[in-house]
Amino acid sequence: MEEIVLETQNLTVYYNGRPAIEGISLRIPRRRITAIIGPSGCGKSTLLRCFNRMNDLIPSARVTGRVLFEGVDLYGPDVDVVEVRRRIGMVFQKPNPFPKSIYENVAFGPRIQGIRDRRKLDEIVERCLRAAALWDEVKDKLHQNALTLSGGQQQRLCIARALATEPEVLLMDEPASALDPIATMKIEDLMRELAREYTIVIVTHNMQQAARVSDYTAFMLAGEDRVGRLIEFGPTQQIFTRPRDRRTEDYITGRFG
Amino acid sequence: MGLTSRSAAEIYTVRLQRGVAARWREWGELAIQGLLLFAAMVSVFTTLGIVAVLVVEAIPFFQQVSLVEFLTDPQWTPLFAQKHFGILPLVAGTFLTSAVALALAMPVGLLSAIYLSEYAPVRVRAILKPALEVLAGIPTVVYGYFALLFVTPLLKRVVPDLETFNALSAGLTMGVMIIPLISSLSEDALYAVPSSLREAAYALGATRLEVALRVVIPAALSGIVASFILAASRAVGETMIVAIAAGQRPILTLDPRRAIETMTAYIVQVSLGDTPHGTLEFRTIFAVGLVLFLLTLVFNLIALRIIERYREVYR
Ligand SMILES: Nc1ncnc2c1ncn2[C@@H]1O[C@H](COP(=O)(O)OP(=O)(O)OP(=O)(O)O)[C@@H](O)[C@H]1O
Ligand SMILES: [Mg+2]
């Protein structure tokens, strides 16, 4: 049996009072890659953003149900959002490095946690850039503006930046969709590498990508009512070879949008 | 296909020939282009004309008064029997009122920009922003009397030895007038910072204040600095408020409680007074005007340069 890190129980998210996803119950195993797939608009990003409470930033969003992280309800009364986001990192669809140096991008998280010691910061920056397979490419230009990097390098920098707060979970929302095939491959290799230490939840549109990198797959679909629901969850291999639900099969064989 | 290749080519040539209508159209476009060029040139030529007048009138002045005296003499008394032509007291007056104005307007303007861009709910922003901009539309003469009749008496209660005409009151009032300029331009710069950067910072556990201070402001810094410089240029050139409330006494001082005279106020004083045209006394205003023009020109050029650089960041 897998050890569970994150769990949603009957999770529903409303935008302006209208549900976007409904009744999602899902368990994310530790040190595995879980892919969330489904057609556009079915609520994949909405679900992902519940895991680090990024939906808090959208005034019209309201969440009901529970999201348990190591058994603690993230939406409980005494929960410190800052701490949640530190321990559950996020990488976005479009690479979004700060217009600062490569070094300062990675040091951002540690700095706001109050780490000032230069040697400690140097050590964190190097470790995270290595973990994100970027160190060799940037070690000679750490103080150059991050925006001078290529898209693929920027995305790996964003991963390094997320790792610097020492999270346990990494949420990735279509992290490779803005990248070319070679940069995508590098990110996928990196994810496999990171999965030894981290729990990864990835949203992807790319079915091959889900099949290639993930251990578990969740398939979501919005019905006629445009409310996203979890259709099927299981080991990736089973979802892709012997789906239980007819709609999953239709989707992965390309008979759907 | 009924057409041979030759007849198809003929049809093509015929169609390419310009008819009368096409020629008229070309002339029309040329005329419109000319009109637009003319409109654009009007402002360019006006500026050039102003500079030319300033220079031409200032030349005879500098033939009689040396540049060294002009720039170093600590007294400015062209209208008195004992004439001195040192611009320093006027520069000091301008500097003093502008410094007071900026000391008030920069922090308040920036803070209100941060509030509007990063904290205010959408609806509050939709009301507050235009309201602030209305402040900028109040005629400066109103601000001038406001300074003299309201601000100065109020300040007199708390500031000892405040003269009736003083740099402090004029400067503070000018600061209030400039706040919307800084707040509006800075807010544009802050608001233009992509929300993806804010999300990135929040996702790393940053608080709202940390997002504003460590991500949004640095990313918008050149826009903010540009707004400060434009505000400085505005303060240096402001005339009505200082002419009414700061006094007409060109003394070299940095004490804001005293009556002073700014470059702009001096120009007003001479222009409206009975100094005969063509005299050395009258020409002083062109020399002062030239200095003022160069100062604001430099400010504006710096601001433009900074804004340009800032545009490149998110290309
Ligand atoms: N901020 C918001 N305000 C209102 N409605 C929203 C908001 N964000 C998302 N929605 C709606 O919620 C539903 C789910 O959106 P979500 O972005 O989670 O889908 P998605 O599966 O990630 O789609 P995609 O694959 O295109 O990224 C959509 O119908 C969308 O219009
Ligand atoms: Mg999405």
Side-chain angles (χ1 to χ4, degrees):
Chain A
M1 227 9 234
E2 298 271 18
E3 204 183 320
I4 301 303
V5 181
L6 275 168
E7 176 174 1
T8 67
Q9 294 175 349
N10 200 18
L11 182 71
T12 299
V13 180
Y14 303 85
Y15 291 117
N16 301 309
R18 188 189 162 278
I21 57 174
E22 190 176 72
I24 310 266
S25 297
L26 181 70
R27 307 169 110 200
I28 310 278
R30 190 188 299 281
R31 298 210 179 90
R32 297 285 178 267
I33 300 179
T34 302
I36 303 174
I37 62 171
S40 189
C42 69
K44 305 181 293 295
S45 301
T46 301
L47 171 61
L48 197 70
R49 293 163 63 90
C50 289
F51 291 133
N52 64 343
R53 290 190 49 176
M54 285 297 274
N55 288 331
D56 292 15
L57 302 177
I58 303 169
S60 70
R62 193 166 58 83
V63 177
T64 64
R66 305 218 295 169
V67 180
L68 303 177
F69 172 57
E70 310 279 14
V72 179
D73 187 1
L74 291 182
Y75 286 87
D78 300 327
V79 170
D80 177 5
V81 198
V82 165
E83 190 59 16
V84 169
R85 296 193 183 133
R86 193 182 71 68
R87 294 179 61 183
I88 305 178
M90 189 168 218
V91 176
F92 297 81
Q93 176 168 4
K94 225 176 119 243
N96 55 357
F98 301 125
K100 301 174 187 283
S101 70
I102 294 168
Y103 185 100
E104 286 304 325
N105 264 277
V106 183
F108 185 89
R111 272 193 203 283
I112 57 175
Q113 284 168 36
I115 298 177
R116 297 238 152 43
D117 181 39
R118 190 75 196 189
R119 222 173 308 143
K120 186 115 189 267
L121 286 173
D122 288 350
E123 182 267 311
I124 293 173
V125 169
E126 176 169 348
R127 177 164 48 76
C128 295
L129 285 171
R130 280 189 194 281
L134 191 60
W135 175 253
D136 289 331
E137 288 158 69
V138 302
K139 62 171 182 252
D140 301 321
K141 47 178 184 184
L142 289 178
H143 297 285
Q144 195 171 312
N145 194 309
L147 296 173
T148 60
L149 297 175
S150 75
Q153 289 174 324
Q154 288 186 12
Q155 194 61 307
R156 277 178 285 147
L157 177 63
C158 292
I159 293 173
R161 183 176 64 184
L163 295 180
T165 63
E166 302 187 355
E168 283 142 71
V169 180
L170 268 187
L171 308 173
M172 300 182 159
D173 196 346
E174 306 190 42
S177 69
L179 306 180
D180 65 51
I182 292 178
T184 300
M185 215 178 64
K186 282 192 185 162
I187 298 277
E188 288 179 7
D189 290 347
L190 174 59
M191 283 169 54
R192 290 283 9 150
E193 194 60 40
L194 291 173
R196 294 161 191 253
E197 263 192 81
Y198 302 90
T199 305
I200 295 178
V201 186
I202 175 180
V203 166
T204 178
H205 258 131
N206 181 333
M207 229 86 64
Q208 280 89 42
Q209 183 170 63
R212 272 196 307 265
V213 301
S214 71
D215 303 299
Y216 291 86
T217 296
F219 173 59
M220 290 176 68
L221 189 64
E224 293 281 283
D225 54 0
R226 303 197 345 270
V227 179
R229 293 185 182 82
L230 180 65
I231 302 298
E232 194 168 349
F233 176 79
T236 298
Q237 188 140 40
Q238 180 242 305
I239 295 278
F240 277 83
T241 55
R242 291 169 278 111
R244 291 206 193 89
D245 196 291
R246 185 58 203 265
R247 292 165 291 181
T248 315
E249 186 172 350
D250 285 350
Y251 184 70
I252 58 174
T253 54
R255 256 172 282 171
F256 250 117
Chain B
M1 282 273 140
L3 295 173
T4 66
S5 62
R6 191 161 163 261
S7 62
E10 273 166 10
I11 290 171
Y12 216 62
T13 357
V14 170
R15 288 201 142 195
L16 281 177
Q17 221 112 67
R18 294 182 312 181
V20 179
R23 288 185 189 208
W24 270 112
R25 199 175 57 225
E26 279 167 28
W27 276 108
E29 293 207 356
L30 220 61
I32 288 176
Q33 210 177 331
L35 196 73
L36 295 177
L37 182 68
F38 175 76
M41 291 320 266
V42 165
S43 67
V44 174
F45 280 124
T46 315
T47 313
L48 287 179
I50 292 173
V51 177
V53 168
L54 284 176
V55 171
V56 166
E57 295 283 339
I59 285 172
F61 173 83
F62 284 113
Q63 279 164 350
Q64 282 175 269
V65 176
S66 80
L67 198 60
V68 177
E69 182 191 349
F70 184 66
L71 294 179
T72 57
D73 192 318
Q75 286 186 60
W76 179 259
T77 54
L79 307 179
F80 294 90
Q82 187 70 39
K83 291 192 195 320
H84 284 275
F85 297 96
I87 197 173
L88 283 180
L90 296 185
V91 172
T94 295
F95 173 80
L96 195 55
T97 50
S98 301
V100 171
L102 292 173
L104 173 69
M106 290 195 307
V108 176
L110 181 58
L111 286 175
S112 75
I114 293 170
Y115 173 73
L116 284 176
S117 161
E118 305 301 310
Y119 286 84
V122 182
R123 276 170 59 201
V124 175
R125 182 172 180 273
I127 297 166
L128 265 187
K129 203 175 180 213
L132 255 175
E133 277 156 11
V134 165
L135 265 186
I138 298 175
T140 54
V141 66
V142 175
Y143 279 109
Y145 280 101
F146 178 71
L148 184 63
L149 303 176
F150 181 74
V151 180
T152 300
L154 206 70
L155 286 173
K156 273 191 168 165
R157 293 196 200 161
V158 281
V159 182
D161 305 328
L162 190 70
E163 297 177 9
T164 298
F165 294 99
N166 63 82
L168 184 63
S169 163
L172 289 177
T173 310
M174 192 152 80
V176 171
M177 182 197 72
I178 291 173
I179 288 171
L181 176 77
I182 291 182
S183 136
S184 174
L185 289 177
S186 293
E187 205 264 354
D188 289 344
L190 294 171
Y191 204 66
V193 173
S195 55
S196 65
L197 294 185
R198 294 186 183 84
E199 288 211 317
Y202 280 121
L204 291 165
T207 61
R208 206 196 269 246
L209 185 66
E210 284 162 344
V211 171
L213 293 183
R214 291 172 184 250
V215 175
V216 183
I217 292 178
L221 196 60
S222 29
I224 294 168
V225 172
S227 84
F228 286 176
I229 295 174
L230 285 178
S233 153
R234 181 90 170 74
V236 166
E238 169 51 36
T239 307
M240 261 311 167
I241 299 175
V242 286
I244 294 173
Q248 298 190 337
R249 200 173 62 200
I251 50 165
L252 188 53
T253 177
L254 287 179
D255 182 348
R257 293 170 305 175
R258 307 197 55 191
I260 47 94
E261 183 161 45
T262 65
M263 294 189 271
T264 49
Y266 175 76
I267 294 175
V268 172
Q269 183 190 1
V270 174
S271 310
L272 301 181
D274 46 13
T275 316
H277 286 222
T279 58
L280 180 63
E281 291 84 333
F282 193 78
R283 287 210 176 97
T284 53
I285 66 171
F286 295 103
V288 174
L290 195 60
V291 171
L292 198 57
F293 175 80
L294 290 177
L295 254 165
T296 45
L297 182 72
V298 168
F299 278 140
N300 284 308
L301 287 181
I302 295 174
L304 267 182
R305 274 296 273 284
I306 293 175
I307 289 176
E308 237 161 61
R309 181 145 31 105
Y310 148 76
R311 284 217 183 99
E312 283 172 15
V313 177
Y314 311 111
R315 202 179 2 136

